[in-house]
Amino acid sequence: MTVERALGELRRELHVLGVPTEERDVFWMRSGDPMLSLAPGLVVWVGAEWFRWIGERCRWRYHAVGDPAGAARLIHRIHRHPREEPPGGGGAAQR
C-alpha cells in the first residue's frame, strides 16, 4: 500500500468516527512521507509499514498501515480522551 493510499484510508476511517480532516491538516516531510496533524500534540506519521504517533507518557505507538480502521479507532480514542489512553496503547505496538 502506498503512503498516499494509507493516509487517505486513515482519513476516511477517522471521518467515520467523527474526526474529519482537511487537506491543510496534511504535511509532507522531506522523506516524502505524510503526517497528519489532528490536534495540538497529536500528529500521525504515515510510513510504508506503520502509522505512528506519540501516545501517553511520550511513548511511540505503531500500528500497521494495512489496518487503517484499527489505527483510526486507537487515534480516535486519544483524540477524544487524551489522558485516558490505556497502558500499552490499547493494541498499538510499542517499540
Side-chain angles (χ1 to χ4, degrees):
M1 176 181 309
T2 66
V3 293
E4 292 87 356
R5 182 174 170 203
L7 173 64
E9 289 185 19
L10 177 64
R11 290 179 67 195
R12 278 189 290 282
E13 294 294 339
L14 286 167
H15 183 78
V16 167
L17 295 172
V19 184
T21 64
E22 299 180 16
E23 285 300 317
R24 68 179 180 204
D25 299 328
V26 177
F27 300 89
W28 293 86
M29 299 183 293
R30 285 185 178 170
S31 66
D33 293 336
M35 61 183 194
L36 178 62
S37 178
L38 296 171
L42 181 53
V43 176
V44 179
W45 287 266
V46 183
E49 298 179 32
W50 302 101
F51 295 111
R52 65 184 169 117
W53 61 91
I54 297 175
E56 191 71 23
R57 297 181 200 94
C58 296
R59 291 184 169 211
W60 283 104
R61 303 294 182 199
Y62 294 79
H63 197 85
V65 296
D67 180 23
R73 285 190 300 272
L74 294 169
I75 294 164
H76 176 256
R77 189 177 338 171
I78 296 167
H79 186 266
R80 287 189 51 201
H81 307 286
R83 299 284 181 230
E84 296 178 17
E85 181 185 1
Q94 294 183 40
R95 285 198 163 178

